Amino acid sequence: MALEESVEASRLLQSFERRFLAARALRSFPWQSLEEKLRDSSSELLLDILQKPSGDSVTLSESSAIVSHGTTGLVTWNAALYLAEWAIENPATFTHRTVLELGSGAGLTGLTICKMCHPRAYVFSDCHSLVLEQLRGNILLNGLLLESDATTPVQHPGHNTHNAESPRVTVTQLDWDIVTAPQLSAFQPDVIIAADVLYCPETVLSLVRVLQTLSACQKDRQAPDAYIAFTIRNPETCWLFTTELGKAGISWEAAPRHNQKLFPYEEHSEMEILKLML
């Protein structure tokens, strides 16, 4: 029984830590569970909650509105949190590799990977100028070195003059509707990721076009791994994505689910990560 109580107390403590670090509203904290637990135990749990939270953290500046300045990219969405958790449990997917993120938004997933998975280089990309501005600020806020803005990142594989533990980080403007094959080819990614970008048919078609172009421009290089995370809001949109992947000759499979929940996204959200074979 003592072991069960310890596990329950640990889960409650983690719940408070996650919500505190994510600056969630106080009403979202599990106060009732805490009250019930304190009735049956000492005040040690309360003291643990009041201590400084443990572990590494990602600091973000983001909008409080879902849609702001004509974009949804200024706020973190659930699939970005979900993909970040998956990355933490699968660090070998990113370690010593060049990662290209499509539609980085506020940057939560990429910052987590940069801090926890030790990539060689990381390319954040988005198309909205305000999103890119916020991204640069969030990268610097987390103590990462930022390469000078350029259309393409440094040559790969190049000599990394930075600390071995710090990836080379680039922020680039990438409009899926006008980007060219030479521009995409220059990134030479080992891994491609995207989170919560399947929100309308037009975006789905643009994304598949970019993925098909990336697949076609590899030449003699090994094809990159690609992981697309999304919240299943509209099954028809998900069906369109997999259908268009088939038309483009891109096979896929569901990535294995991870075990540990680290971020306070909505419990009832149904999320998926697809691994694409480019």
Side-chain angles (χ1 to χ4, degrees), residues 174-227:
L174 201 63
D175 187 327
W176 299 349
D177 292 324
I178 62 175
V179 66
T180 65
Q183 288 173 325
L184 291 172
S185 178
F187 291 114
Q188 299 188 32
D190 301 305
V191 186
I192 300 164
I193 66 169
D196 248 334
V197 294
L198 307 181
Y199 48 83
C200 69
E202 293 77 15
T203 303
V204 168
L205 296 177
S206 297
L207 174 61
V208 173
R209 171 186 167 275
V210 168
L211 293 170
Q212 186 177 25
T213 304
L214 281 163
S215 178
C217 66
Q218 295 307 308
K219 297 181 180 179
D220 297 328
R221 294 186 68 249
Q222 181 176 350
D225 298 326
Y227 298 90

Side-chain angles (χ1 to χ4, degrees), residues 112-144:
T112 301
I113 291 173
C114 286
K115 284 193 169 189
M116 303 297 293
C117 303
H118 310 295
R120 176 194 296 113
Y122 199 97
V123 183
F124 293 86
S125 73
D126 216 292
C127 65
H128 197 285
S129 58
L130 288 180
V131 174
L132 296 171
E133 181 181 344
Q134 179 178 263
L135 260 174
R136 295 186 188 98
N138 283 336
I139 290 167
L140 298 176
L141 195 60
N142 284 271
L144 295 172

Side-chain angles (χ1 to χ4, degrees), residues 12 22 31 38 52 56 58 62 71 75 98 133 138 141 146 149 183 185-186 188 205 208-209 216 218 225 228 258 268:
L12 187 58
W31 299 111
L38 290 177
K52 180 179 179 181
D56 203 352
V58 172
E62 59 180 2
T71 178
V75 64
T98 296
E133 181 181 344
N138 283 336
L141 195 60
L146 182 59
D149 283 353
Q183 288 173 325
S185 178
Q188 299 188 32
L205 296 177
V208 173
R209 171 186 167 275
Q218 295 307 308
D225 298 326
I228 310 298
H258 57 279
H268 61 269

